């Protein structure tokens, strides 16, 4: 099966600019996650979708971050305006609700804010 | 979700077994133990998970103590490609449950020739 696709792979922007990341999960996976991974740390969950509804966005900085999954398939994560501390790898993952289905991660988008 | 404690780093000789420990003393009865690993510049990769019985798959074995307060991930014959950060996570995720997977700092395993 095809894996989780993310784009772009790398992005460099200046602070106060906006940026968007795209994720296409594995076909048929109802649950989609966005994680932020700062260099040297483990991934931190930002938001979790079940189909097109938000299950958990308690760690999402909602003053600048937004995410959507309009048709329950693809998802976009946006940052507006970006800050220096947003420099990180943004990882998308998906999972099926069937049994103990593991998370499948994409390779992420590396964001550098200058 | 319960927290886990892992050593920050470990070394292992190529071809030998790598035994990665994890403490999860506050685990509750419905929480699973999951192991993921992250190779440099890639997203995390699922390895194995278990509830209370020992588990084995083509990648690794998971040994969970009887009181479930700790576990060990065993890579039976480590290769250079197993060099990665290994994360032990406890979560209610699974069986259709949407419990979160919360990653800690993990253990950096360095496999040496």
């Amino acid at each position: 099966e095809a894996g989780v696709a993310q784009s772009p792979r790398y992005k460099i922007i200046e602070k106060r600019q906006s940026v968007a990341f795209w994720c296409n999960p594995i076909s048929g996976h109802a649950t989609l996650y966005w994680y932020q991974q700062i260099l040297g740390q483990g991934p931190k969950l930002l938001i979790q979708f079940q189909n097109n509804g938000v299950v958990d966005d308690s760690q999402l900085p909602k003053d600048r971050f937004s995410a959507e999954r309009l048709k329950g398939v693809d998802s976009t994560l946006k940052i507006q305006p970006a800050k220096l501390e947003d420099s990180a790898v943004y990882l998308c993952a998906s999972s099926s609700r069937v049994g103990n289905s593991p998370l499948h991660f994409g390779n992420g988008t590396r964001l550098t804010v200058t | 979700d319960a927290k886990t404690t892992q050593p920050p780093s470990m070394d292992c000789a190529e071809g030998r077994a790598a035994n990665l420990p994890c403490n999860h003393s506050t685990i509750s009865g419905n929480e699973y133990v999951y192991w993921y690993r992250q190779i440099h510049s890639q997203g995390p990769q699922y390895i194995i998970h278990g509830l209370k019985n020992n588990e084995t798959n083509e990648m690794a074995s998971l040994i969970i103590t009887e009181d479930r307060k700790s576990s060990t991930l065993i890579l039976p014959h480590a290769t250079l490609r197993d060099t990665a950060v290994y994360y032990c996570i406890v979560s209610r995720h699974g069986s259709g449950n949407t419990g979160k997977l919360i990653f800690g700092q993990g253990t950096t395993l360095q496999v040496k020739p």
Side-chain angles (χ1 to χ4, degrees), chain A residues 23-81:
Chain A
C23 172
N24 182 235
I26 292 173
S27 178
H29 279 193
T31 311
L32 184 146
Y33 311 77
W34 283 102
Y35 282 82
Q36 177 194 57
Q37 186 171 25
I38 292 172
L39 187 64
Q41 299 182 15
K44 170 190 165 186
L45 180 66
L46 293 176
I47 189 167
Q48 177 181 344
F49 291 94
Q50 185 68 29
N51 296 309
N52 61 349
V54 175
V55 173
D56 185 347
D57 64 355
S58 57
Q59 298 297 306
L60 188 73
K62 298 179 188 64
D63 57 334
R64 298 184 301 105
F65 286 65
S66 65
E68 60 184 11
R69 194 183 183 201
L70 291 176
K71 296 184 179 178
V73 181
D74 293 6
S75 177
T76 56
L77 176 69
K78 297 179 181 177
I79 308 175
Q80 181 179 8

Side-chain angles (χ1 to χ4, degrees), chain A residues 9 35 37 56 99-100 103, chain B residues 36 38 41 95-96 100-101:
Chain A
R9 190 76 173 92
Y35 282 82
Q37 186 171 25
D56 185 347
N100 294 311
L103 269 63
Chain B
Y36 283 73
Q38 189 171 24
S41 297
S95 295
K100 297 183 288 189
L101 287 182

Side-chain angles (χ1 to χ4, degrees), chain B residues 34-54:
Chain B
Y34 288 83
W35 284 84
Y36 283 73
R37 74 179 182 184
Q38 189 171 24
I39 295 169
H40 183 63
S41 297
Q42 296 182 20
Q45 175 192 23
Y46 166 80
I47 301 173
I48 199 168
H49 75 278
L51 184 61
K52 53 185 176 181
N53 297 321
N54 298 337

Side-chain angles (χ1 to χ4, degrees), chain B residues 5-109:
Chain B
T5 303
Q6 299 179 253
S9 63
M10 293 181 64
D11 289 342
C12 177
E14 188 178 20
R16 306 298 290 267
N19 296 284
L20 291 91
C22 180
N23 286 321
H24 31 80
S25 58
T26 61
I27 191 170
S28 59
N30 61 353
E31 288 183 313
Y32 291 79
V33 180
Y34 288 83
W35 284 84
Y36 283 73
R37 74 179 182 184
Q38 189 171 24
I39 295 169
H40 183 63
S41 297
Q42 296 182 20
Q45 175 192 23
Y46 166 80
I47 301 173
I48 199 168
H49 75 278
L51 184 61
K52 53 185 176 181
N53 297 321
N54 298 337
E55 302 287 345
T56 296
N57 63 20
E58 65 278 5
M59 289 182 70
S61 295
L62 173 60
I63 308 297
I64 303 174
T65 58
E66 193 169 343
D67 63 7
R68 302 210 322 125
K69 292 185 177 183
S70 65
S71 60
T72 301
L73 178 74
I74 301 172
L75 307 178
H77 305 287
T79 70
L80 299 178
R81 288 176 293 182
D82 292 320
T83 292
V85 179
Y86 287 76
Y87 297 100
C88 169
I89 305 164
V90 293
S91 174
R92 291 179 296 110
H93 179 82
S95 295
N97 197 310
T98 56
K100 297 183 288 189
L101 287 182
I102 299 174
F103 289 78
Q105 298 281 77
T107 295
T108 298
L109 175 68

